[in-house]
Amino acid sequence: EMIESYKKQLERANSKLKVLELLDQTLRQALKNTAIGVSEFIRLDVEKYLSILTNGKYTKIKITDDFTPLVYIKEKDEYLDPVGLLSKGTINQIFFLCRLAYFKSIVGDSRPPIIIDDALVSFDKERLKNMKKILEELSEEFQVLLFTCHDDYKSWGYYQEI
Protein backbone atom coordinates (compact mmCIF):
# COMPACT_ATOMS: atom_id res chain seq x y z
CA GLU A 1 0.00 0.00 0.00
CA MET A 2 2.84 2.46 0.84
CA ILE A 3 4.63 1.48 -2.35
CA GLU A 4 1.51 2.32 -4.38
CA SER A 5 1.24 5.65 -2.59
CA TYR A 6 4.87 6.48 -3.38
CA LYS A 7 4.37 5.43 -7.00
CA LYS A 8 1.42 7.84 -7.31
CA GLN A 9 3.45 10.64 -5.72
CA LEU A 10 6.29 9.89 -8.16
CA GLU A 11 3.86 9.96 -11.09
CA ARG A 12 2.47 13.34 -9.97
CA ALA A 13 5.98 14.69 -9.49
CA ASN A 14 7.03 13.48 -12.95
CA SER A 15 3.91 15.02 -14.44
CA LYS A 16 4.68 18.37 -12.75
CA LEU A 17 8.28 18.10 -13.95
CA LYS A 18 7.13 17.66 -17.56
CA VAL A 19 4.87 20.71 -17.26
CA LEU A 20 7.69 22.80 -15.77
CA GLU A 21 10.15 21.66 -18.45
CA LEU A 22 7.65 22.62 -21.16
CA LEU A 23 7.05 25.98 -19.48
CA ASP A 24 10.82 26.58 -19.24
CA GLN A 25 11.29 25.72 -22.91
CA THR A 26 8.37 27.98 -23.93
CA LEU A 27 9.63 30.93 -21.87
CA ARG A 28 13.17 30.54 -23.21
CA GLN A 29 11.83 30.57 -26.78
CA ALA A 30 9.66 33.61 -26.03
CA LEU A 31 12.67 35.44 -24.59
CA LYS A 32 14.71 34.54 -27.67
CA ASN A 33 11.93 35.76 -29.98
CA THR A 34 11.64 38.99 -27.99
CA ALA A 35 15.39 39.51 -28.13
CA ILE A 36 15.36 39.11 -31.90
CA GLY A 37 12.63 41.72 -32.15
CA VAL A 38 14.15 44.41 -29.95
CA SER A 39 17.87 43.69 -29.67
CA GLU A 40 18.74 45.84 -32.69
CA PHE A 41 16.76 48.78 -31.31
CA ILE A 42 18.44 48.36 -27.92
CA ARG A 43 21.89 48.04 -29.50
CA LEU A 44 21.47 51.21 -31.53
CA ASP A 45 20.08 53.17 -28.59
CA VAL A 46 22.86 52.08 -26.22
CA GLU A 47 25.56 52.76 -28.83
CA LYS A 48 24.18 56.25 -29.43
CA TYR A 49 24.72 57.17 -25.79
CA LEU A 50 27.68 54.90 -24.97
CA SER A 51 30.01 56.86 -27.19
CA ILE A 52 28.86 60.15 -25.62
CA LEU A 53 29.11 58.82 -22.07
CA THR A 54 32.58 57.28 -22.44
CA ASN A 55 34.05 60.02 -24.66
CA GLY A 56 34.43 57.50 -27.48
CA LYS A 57 36.33 54.88 -25.46
CA TYR A 58 33.50 52.37 -25.96
CA THR A 59 31.31 52.77 -29.03
CA LYS A 60 29.92 49.34 -29.95
CA ILE A 61 27.77 46.84 -28.12
CA LYS A 62 26.01 43.56 -28.89
CA ILE A 63 22.93 42.28 -27.09
CA THR A 64 22.78 38.49 -26.66
CA ASP A 65 19.61 36.38 -26.81
CA ASP A 66 19.35 36.60 -23.01
CA PHE A 67 19.81 40.42 -23.14
CA THR A 68 23.40 40.37 -21.85
CA PRO A 69 25.32 43.36 -23.22
CA LEU A 70 28.70 42.58 -24.76
CA VAL A 71 30.96 45.60 -25.20
CA TYR A 72 33.46 45.93 -28.02
CA ILE A 73 36.91 46.27 -26.47
CA LYS A 74 39.24 47.87 -29.03
CA GLU A 75 42.42 46.58 -27.36
CA LYS A 76 41.19 42.97 -27.59
CA ASP A 77 39.34 43.45 -30.90
CA GLU A 78 36.29 41.53 -29.68
CA TYR A 79 32.95 41.84 -27.92
CA LEU A 80 33.18 40.81 -24.27
CA ASP A 81 31.02 40.71 -21.17
CA PRO A 82 32.03 43.86 -19.26
CA VAL A 83 31.51 42.24 -15.83
CA GLY A 84 34.89 41.48 -14.30
CA LEU A 85 36.67 43.18 -17.19
CA LEU A 86 35.81 46.86 -16.85
CA SER A 87 35.61 49.05 -13.76
CA LYS A 88 32.52 48.83 -11.57
CA GLY A 89 31.62 52.40 -12.52
CA THR A 90 31.82 51.69 -16.26
CA ILE A 91 29.80 48.49 -15.85
CA ASN A 92 27.10 50.39 -13.92
CA GLN A 93 27.04 53.04 -16.64
CA ILE A 94 26.66 50.46 -19.43
CA PHE A 95 23.85 48.73 -17.56
CA PHE A 96 22.20 52.09 -16.88
CA LEU A 97 22.18 52.81 -20.62
CA CYS A 98 20.80 49.32 -21.26
CA ARG A 99 17.99 49.90 -18.78
CA LEU A 100 17.13 53.17 -20.52
CA ALA A 101 17.07 51.40 -23.89
CA TYR A 102 14.95 48.54 -22.52
CA PHE A 103 12.56 51.10 -21.06
CA LYS A 104 12.28 52.93 -24.38
CA SER A 105 11.68 49.67 -26.26
CA ILE A 106 8.90 48.68 -23.86
CA VAL A 107 7.01 51.98 -23.72
CA GLY A 108 6.89 52.45 -27.49
CA ASP A 109 5.03 55.64 -28.35
CA SER A 110 3.74 56.31 -24.84
CA ARG A 111 5.73 58.75 -22.76
CA PRO A 112 5.78 57.79 -19.07
CA PRO A 113 8.30 59.60 -16.88
CA ILE A 114 11.79 58.24 -16.40
CA ILE A 115 12.44 57.97 -12.67
CA ILE A 116 16.07 57.79 -11.56
CA ASP A 117 16.89 57.21 -7.91
CA ASP A 118 20.60 57.75 -7.14
CA ALA A 119 21.63 55.63 -10.14
CA LEU A 120 24.49 57.99 -11.04
CA VAL A 121 26.60 57.68 -7.90
CA SER A 122 29.33 55.60 -9.60
CA PHE A 123 29.91 58.19 -12.34
CA ASP A 124 33.14 60.22 -12.27
CA LYS A 125 32.87 63.97 -12.92
CA GLU A 126 33.54 63.70 -16.67
CA ARG A 127 31.00 60.93 -17.24
CA LEU A 128 28.51 62.67 -14.96
CA LYS A 129 28.80 65.75 -17.19
CA ASN A 130 28.25 63.52 -20.23
CA MET A 131 25.25 61.85 -18.56
CA LYS A 132 23.74 65.25 -17.94
CA LYS A 133 23.85 65.85 -21.72
CA ILE A 134 22.17 62.49 -22.33
CA LEU A 135 19.44 63.17 -19.78
CA GLU A 136 18.87 66.65 -21.23
CA GLU A 137 18.35 65.03 -24.63
CA LEU A 138 15.99 62.43 -23.12
CA SER A 139 14.06 65.20 -21.37
CA GLU A 140 12.96 66.44 -24.79
CA GLU A 141 10.92 63.22 -25.13
CA PHE A 142 10.32 62.17 -21.52
CA GLN A 143 9.83 63.82 -18.17
CA VAL A 144 12.98 62.89 -16.20
CA LEU A 145 12.72 62.75 -12.41
CA LEU A 146 16.05 62.46 -10.61
CA PHE A 147 15.99 61.63 -6.92
CA THR A 148 19.24 61.99 -5.02
CA CYS A 149 20.73 63.01 -1.71
CA HIS A 150 23.75 64.59 -3.42
CA ASP A 151 24.09 68.34 -3.93
CA ASP A 152 26.00 67.88 -7.23
CA TYR A 153 22.75 67.82 -9.21
CA LYS A 154 21.17 71.06 -7.98
CA SER A 155 21.99 72.85 -11.25
CA TRP A 156 20.54 70.10 -13.46
CA GLY A 157 17.02 71.44 -13.62
CA TYR A 158 14.19 72.25 -11.28
CA TYR A 159 15.39 71.44 -7.78
CA GLN A 160 13.06 70.59 -4.91
CA GLU A 161 14.47 69.69 -1.52
CA ILE A 162 12.31 67.14 0.33
Side-chain angles (χ1 to χ4, degrees):
E1 194 172 300
M2 284 182 69
I3 292 175
E4 285 302 315
S5 173
Y6 287 134
K7 282 183 180 179
K8 286 182 181 179
Q9 287 179 11
L10 181 60
E11 284 176 23
R12 283 193 299 269
N14 282 330
S15 179
K16 285 181 182 180
L17 177 61
K18 286 179 185 177
V19 169
L20 291 173
E21 286 173 340
L22 181 60
L23 179 61
D24 179 61
Q25 181 182 7
T26 303
L27 289 174
R28 287 180 190 278
Q29 187 60 46
L31 179 62
K32 189 173 185 176
N33 292 344
T34 301
I36 291 167
V38 299
S39 63
E40 183 66 8
F41 170 85
I42 292 168
R43 181 189 68 79
L44 291 171
D45 199 61
V46 171
E47 283 183 352
K48 174 183 177 182
Y49 297 122
L50 184 62
S51 182
I52 294 168
L53 183 62
T54 65
N55 289 318
K57 180 164 180 143
Y58 304 107
T59 59
K60 297 179 187 176
I61 195 166
K62 280 186 182 178
I63 305 297
T64 65
D65 289 347
D66 66 352
F67 291 101
T68 302
L70 302 177
V71 179
Y72 180 74
I73 311 295
K74 292 176 192 172
E75 298 80 20
K76 297 185 183 278
D77 193 30
E78 62 182 312
Y79 289 87
L80 299 169
D81 186 342
V83 176
L85 191 64
L86 304 179
S87 72
K88 183 180 176 185
T90 301
I91 293 166
N92 286 340
Q93 293 155 14
I94 291 167
F95 281 101
F96 181 81
L97 292 177
C98 287
R99 287 191 303 274
L100 282 176
Y102 297 147
F103 170 81
K104 289 168 69 176
S105 73
I106 291 168
V107 301
D109 292 333
S110 65
R111 292 293 170 249
I114 296 173
I115 301 172
I116 304 167
D117 186 6
D118 259 348
L120 312 178
V121 295
S122 63
F123 289 44
D124 62 28
K125 289 201 182 294
E126 185 66 26
R127 291 196 179 169
L128 194 58
K129 183 178 78 171
N130 294 341
M131 180 50 73
K132 181 181 179 190
K133 292 177 195 172
I134 292 168
L135 293 177
E136 285 172 345
E137 182 179 320
L138 284 170
S139 73
E140 294 173 15
E141 280 185 80
F142 298 92
Q143 179 183 25
V144 178
L145 303 173
L146 175 63
F147 294 94
T148 183
C149 61
H150 301 281
D151 290 336
D152 300 342
Y153 308 101
K154 284 184 178 180
S155 66
W156 282 35
Y158 177 74
Y159 172 77
Q160 177 66 48
E161 192 165 327
I162 298 175

